[in-house]
Amino acid sequence: MPWCGRRALAGAAAAFWVGRFLGLDAVRKVAGPRQDRFVELAARRGGVAVLIARLVPIVPFTVVNYGSGAAGVGVRPYLAATAVGIIPGTLVYAAVGAFGSAPTSWQFLLVGAVLVAGTVAALVVAHLRRRRNRVDRAAL
């Protein structure tokens, strides 16, 4: 893992433990209601929820960190999902730095396409899971 990835993982782990220490009520006060859905999913699905959140660039990194700790996600699943989930972002930042001066180059366009495809894929998976859970609840 590149040096910047290790730093991101260390910062995420520190915020996770802060969330765990402060508890759910304190995290809700700081993050607001936007993290309630994530905390609910994280409490049920743990690492899967963290991985999906990491792969969607519009989900705030810190909300995932604090929310995971407060929701009781296991340390190992959290760290594994975070380590895997930050790889695409790290690669995108490195590619933007390398090819950002030529935004019409094929390398820059490829990175943008991969970022968009990854975001769409993660959103589709999250939507399908949410829909399946609604159907499962309705069957009860």
Side-chain angles (χ1 to χ4, degrees), residues 5-71:
R6 286 191 297 260
R7 251 179 76 186
L9 186 59
F16 172 87
W17 286 111
V18 168
R20 179 73 50 96
F21 175 75
L22 292 177
L24 201 48
D25 290 335
V27 170
R28 278 195 175 116
K29 288 178 185 174
V30 173
R34 66 183 173 171
Q35 59 86 38
D36 284 343
R37 286 178 48 200
F38 172 75
V39 167
E40 179 184 314
L41 180 62
R44 286 182 313 185
R45 294 292 195 177
V48 173
V50 173
L51 181 61
I52 290 170
R54 294 286 187 228
L55 295 175
V56 179
I58 59 173
V59 176
F61 204 78
T62 54
V63 168
V64 176
N65 297 338
Y66 296 126
S68 297

Side-chain angles (χ1 to χ4, degrees), residues 77-128:
Y78 170 78
L79 290 176
T82 296
V84 171
I86 63 175
I87 291 171
T90 302
L91 294 175
V92 167
Y93 285 130
V96 167
F99 307 113
S101 62
T104 58
S105 69
W106 70 268
Q107 296 97 334
F108 188 84
L109 295 174
L110 177 64
V111 168
V114 168
L115 179 63
V116 169
T119 301
V120 169
L123 289 171
V124 166
V125 167
H127 174 73
L128 292 174

